[in-house]
Amino acid sequence: MLMAHPTVLRNLVEQYEALCLLHAENGSTEARQRMDDIAYTLCVSTGTADVDSALVAARHRLPGARPEDDSVLSA
């Protein structure tokens, strides 16, 4: 599997989080489509099937991530 560059992953995560904060899922057709596109790209970039898993995987691949910390998975 190809691995996305950490800068690309960080950018995707930041864009997705910004759209979530703006409630893009309830916004215009364009905003919803942009959110869906970013979610899809995150999934493809991390080899996951859903955006929540993609966000966890992307964060673990970013510089400074602590791979041994799985607290987000046990909550």
Side-chain angles (χ1 to χ4, degrees), residues 16 35-36 38-59 73:
Y16 189 82
M35 192 170 193
D36 289 345
I38 293 171
Y40 174 80
T41 304
L42 273 166
C43 290
V44 170
S45 299
T46 58
T48 57
D50 64 86
V51 72
D52 293 325
S53 297
L55 289 167
V56 170
R59 288 183 184 115
L73 301 175

Side-chain angles (χ1 to χ4, degrees), residues 2-3 10-11 14 17-19 26 28 31 37-38 40-41 45 52 59 61 64-65 70-71 74:
L2 292 175
M3 301 295 277
R10 181 180 313 279
N11 187 346
E14 288 174 356
E17 289 174 342
L19 288 167
N26 299 322
S28 68
D37 290 346
I38 293 171
Y40 174 80
T41 304
S45 299
D52 293 325
R59 288 183 184 115
R61 292 186 189 156
D70 62 352
S71 59
S74 61

Side-chain angles (χ1 to χ4, degrees), residues 9-34:
L9 287 176
R10 181 180 313 279
N11 187 346
L12 289 168
V13 169
E14 288 174 356
Q15 287 183 55
Y16 189 82
E17 289 174 342
L19 288 167
C20 285
L21 286 173
L22 296 171
H23 302 286
E25 69 276 6
N26 299 322
S28 68
T29 302
E30 293 83 12
R32 288 191 309 269
Q33 184 62 52
R34 181 67 183 147

